[in-house]
């Protein structure tokens, strides 16, 4: 329980019976302020940011006073209002500080502290010793792809991270972190921020505007996440059909869709969905088979789709589609939006075209209320009205800082919020159609408020390989870091997405990825950027049999996963959890490539090619190996891991053992 303790000179912040911070006019204040400006250059969603700092100065505390759960800290530049919320978190709101647009917040730390968050992080999990840039961007840029091509030419394996941590960008950024000391920090800024964990004795948070922030506490991590998600919001429970097997990634037209579904069913794969990302049309570029971003059913490519959706629905198979906040400039929806003034403009008042891969596209202006209702109505009529039961709500990272918005807002302060606004549009369409609980849409990009509006995350355009920072291994810390930021429902494309030249999906990679995703909330495939290069779910009899086994297993876990999803909806405790959420052990705080599915299942995916064993760390508990039934104690163990039997352990006497063994 938090409270203030006022003395003649100082104000103590007390948690239980422990003083956690003292505000004293005779001691340095934890806040600095300054002035500065940034310059941005964007290429294909990747940003280069340069800062020109004009000044930086330490704030001096003049006086402190408190009354019940509210305290005022007078400084020489402005005032800090500190409020206790729900007995378990502090909200600090700056007032005054006119003329300043930089704030540095210093929090105490120690060398033995572990920290997690800043959004979705693929290359690391524990961020102690790192400096994280909080700015929404493409995770994979052209330079990184070029480096991978060079490595392929020279036969260099991607067993190590390919660049410094500071060079990585992320689709989902958030000014949030949690600590092994069982507290969280979350800023309400929408500007660029930086979380600096490089010093042993302090953490420094920088925000490019002066705004309020929270610091919250919990006796344990489930309680801490409940506290954090009280602020951020939580995802609703998923539709019941989501758990009933494999959502097949299919493209190419109605006949291909039906043929691939039929093949899967004949091989005893429980198919609960067909995700056809090209329902609105396909364009072939130098990069691969991409989509025509015109959010209308392409009846030439998918003749009779409306009837097939009904026919498949009677068999328990849903059809899912795709949408993003861009418009193809060659198509009629763009013409309509442009004529009505619904697109983001450049400084000359013209439509702002953004190059995505090899083609330009216009952006729907989500600050324009009429444009907001227009695209929402398109979702309701053209997608929900068609009978789609879900879709990928892609992108959200590309808003340029030099554009002009209908609202007149500063794009630099709007950029990070764009993916959350995009999620909100989709959520409102589902809610207004009365389909929440029937429809699942999944987003790639995110920021604060995304946990409140999106129904599911997926981990973006991962490479179709085993590389540690872009391939299969990278999605594990990505899901874990999302969980630490309050987004508790996530999954990835089975087999990855990005493929070119020699970067192509092998049968082994597909099967290893399928094994991992069988133990996530959603089992969904993707044919990838270049489908012809990639092994698909029907690549061979071996792959089909493996897929059937994993999809049947995923379906058998339905009651268990549903319970975990419900707990996330009610309490903010993620479905995919880091080990330390339940085990206070050093190894649990540092393990980045294992995860807990709910409380009772530990998953250690095989993350190396040609591996038939894996070393696994088990926390101090009693564990049963899923495949052999052998019992294990805590510690490190080398476990046999043939294809179809990834290292998975269940807590002894857990009810889920009975579910799986049926």
């Amino acid at each position: 329980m938090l409270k203030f303790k006022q003395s003649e000179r100082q104000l103590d912040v007390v948690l239980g019976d422990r003083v956690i911070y003292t505000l004293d006019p005779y001691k340095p204040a934890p806040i600095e302020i300054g002035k500065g400006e940034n310059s941005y250059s964007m290429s294909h969603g990747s940003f280069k940011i340069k800062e020109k700092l004009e000044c930086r100065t330490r704030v001096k505390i003049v006086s402190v006073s408190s009354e019940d759960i509210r305290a005022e800290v007078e400084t020489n530049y402005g005032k800090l209002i500190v409020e206790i919320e729900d007995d378990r978190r502090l909200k600090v709101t700056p007032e005054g500080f006119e003329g300043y647009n930089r704030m540095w917040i210093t929090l105490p730390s120690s060398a033995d502290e572990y920290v997690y968050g800043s959004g979705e992080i693929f290359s690391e999990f524990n961020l102690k010793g790192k400096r994280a840039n909080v700015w929404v961007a493409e995770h994979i840029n052209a330079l990184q792809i070029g480096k991978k091509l060079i490595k392929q030419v020279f036969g260099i394996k991607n067993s190590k991270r390919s660049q410094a941590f500071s060079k990585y960008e992320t689709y989902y950024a958030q000014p949030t972190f949690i600590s092994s000391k069982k507290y969280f920090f979350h800023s309400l800024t929408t500007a660029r921020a930086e979380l600096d964990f490089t010093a042993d004795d302090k953490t420094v948070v920088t925000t490019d505007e002066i705004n309020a922030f929270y610091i919250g506490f919990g006796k344990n991590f489930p309680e801490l996440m409940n506290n954090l998600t009280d602020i951020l919001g939580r995802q609703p429970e998923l539709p019941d059909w989501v758990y009933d097997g494999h959502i097949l990634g299919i493209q190419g037209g109605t006949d291909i869709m039906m043929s691939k579904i039929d093949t899967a069913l004949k091989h005893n794969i429980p198919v609960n969905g067909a995700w056809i990302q090209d329902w609105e049309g396909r364009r072939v570029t130098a990069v691969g088979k991409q989509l025509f971003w015109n959010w209308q059913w392409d009846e030439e490519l998918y003749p009779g789709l409306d009837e097939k959706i009904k026919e498949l629905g009677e068999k328990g198979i849903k059809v899912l589609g795709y949408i993003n906040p861009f418009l193809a400039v060659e198509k009629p929806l763009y013409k309509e939006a442009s004529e009505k003034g619904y697109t983001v403009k450049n400084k000359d008042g013209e439509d702002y075209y953004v190059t995505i891969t090899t083609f330009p596209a216009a952006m729907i202006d989500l600050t324009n209320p009429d444009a907001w209702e227009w695209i929402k109505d398109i979702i309701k009529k053209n997608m929900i009205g068609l009978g789609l039961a879900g879709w990928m709500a892609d992108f959200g990272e590309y808003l340029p800082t030099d554009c002009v918005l209908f609202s007149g807002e500063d794009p630099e302060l709007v950029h990070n919020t764009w993916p959350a606004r995009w999620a909100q549009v989709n959520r409102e369409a589902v809610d207004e159609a009365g389909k929440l609980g029937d429809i699942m849409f999944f987003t790639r990009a995110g920021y604060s408020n995304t946990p409140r509006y999106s129904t599911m995350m997926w981990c973006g355009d991962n490479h179709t390989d085993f590389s540690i920072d872009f391939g299969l291994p990278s999605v594990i810390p990505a899901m874990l870091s999302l969980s630490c930021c309050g987004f508790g429902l996530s999954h990835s494309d089975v087999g990855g997405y990005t493929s070119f030249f020699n970067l192509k999906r092998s049968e082994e990679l597909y099967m290893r990825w399928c094994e991992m995703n069988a133990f996530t909330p959603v089992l969904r495939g993707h044919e990838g950027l270049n489908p012809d290069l990639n092994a698909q779910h029907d690549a061979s009899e071996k792959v089909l049999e493996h897929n059937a086994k994993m999809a049947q297993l995923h379906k058998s876990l339905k009651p268990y996963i549903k319970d975990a999803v419900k707990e996330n909806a009610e309490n903010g405790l993620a479905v995919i959890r880091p080990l330390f959420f339940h085990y206070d052990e050093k190894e649990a705080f540092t393990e980045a490539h294992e995860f807990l599915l709910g409380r009772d299942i530990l998953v250690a995916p095989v993350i190396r090619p040609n591996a038939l064993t894996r070393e696994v760390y088990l926390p101090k508990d009693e564990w049963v190996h899923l495949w052999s039934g052998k019992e294990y104690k805590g510690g490190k163990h080398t476990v046999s891991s043939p294809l179809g039997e990834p290292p998975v352990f269940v807590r002894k006497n857990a009810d889920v053992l009975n579910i799986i063994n049926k």
Side-chain angles (χ1 to χ4, degrees), residues 251-367:
Q251 54 189 321
T254 304
D255 290 344
I256 291 175
M257 177 183 73
M258 298 305 293
S259 174
K260 284 182 174 288
I261 291 172
D262 185 57
T263 298
L265 293 174
K266 287 179 178 178
H267 285 81
N268 299 314
I269 297 173
V271 178
N272 60 333
W275 175 52
I276 51 171
Q277 65 166 357
D278 58 349
W279 73 281
E280 82 292 353
R282 180 174 62 182
R283 70 164 93 209
V284 179
T285 71
V287 174
K289 291 182 178 178
Q290 297 182 268
L291 309 176
F292 254 123
W293 296 342
N294 185 66
W295 315 120
Q296 297 172 317
W297 167 25
D298 186 332
E299 297 187 47
E300 183 176 344
L301 185 61
Y302 281 94
L305 179 60
D306 53 348
E307 293 302 318
K308 292 301 180 183
I309 288 174
K310 294 176 184 177
E311 177 185 324
L312 291 170
E314 293 173 355
K315 299 177 182 179
I317 300 172
K318 306 293 185 178
V319 177
L320 296 84
Y322 175 97
I323 191 172
N324 66 45
F326 294 105
L327 295 168
V329 297
E330 307 93 332
K331 292 289 186 173
L333 283 183
Y334 164 69
K335 182 180 179 181
E336 179 184 349
S338 181
E339 290 174 351
K340 292 180 175 179
Y342 290 169
T343 56
V344 172
K345 306 300 182 183
N346 62 25
K347 291 183 178 179
D348 294 324
E350 303 164 333
D351 292 342
Y352 199 127
Y353 294 153
V354 173
T355 300
I356 311 304
T357 53
T358 61
F359 56 88
M363 293 175 289
I364 302 163
D365 190 340
L366 300 178
T367 72

Side-chain angles (χ1 to χ4, degrees), residues 632-650:
Y632 287 80
K633 299 290 186 181
K636 291 186 177 180
H637 306 274
T638 299
V639 182
S640 176
S641 310
L643 281 166
E645 296 185 5
V648 177
F649 297 82
V650 183

Side-chain angles (χ1 to χ4, degrees), residues 574-592:
V575 176
I576 302 295
R577 304 173 191 171
L579 305 189
F580 69 78
F581 269 24
H582 297 292
Y583 297 97
D584 188 7
E585 304 170 26
K586 180 179 179 181
E587 293 88 347
F589 284 107
T590 58
E591 178 53 61

Side-chain angles (χ1 to χ4, degrees), residues 141-160:
N141 60 46
L143 178 61
Q144 292 157 346
I145 291 175
K147 288 181 178 179
K148 177 158 282 191
L149 283 172
I150 293 171
K151 288 183 177 181
Q152 287 179 2
V153 170
F154 290 97
I156 301 171
K157 301 295 183 182
N158 289 284
S159 59
K160 297 181 179 180

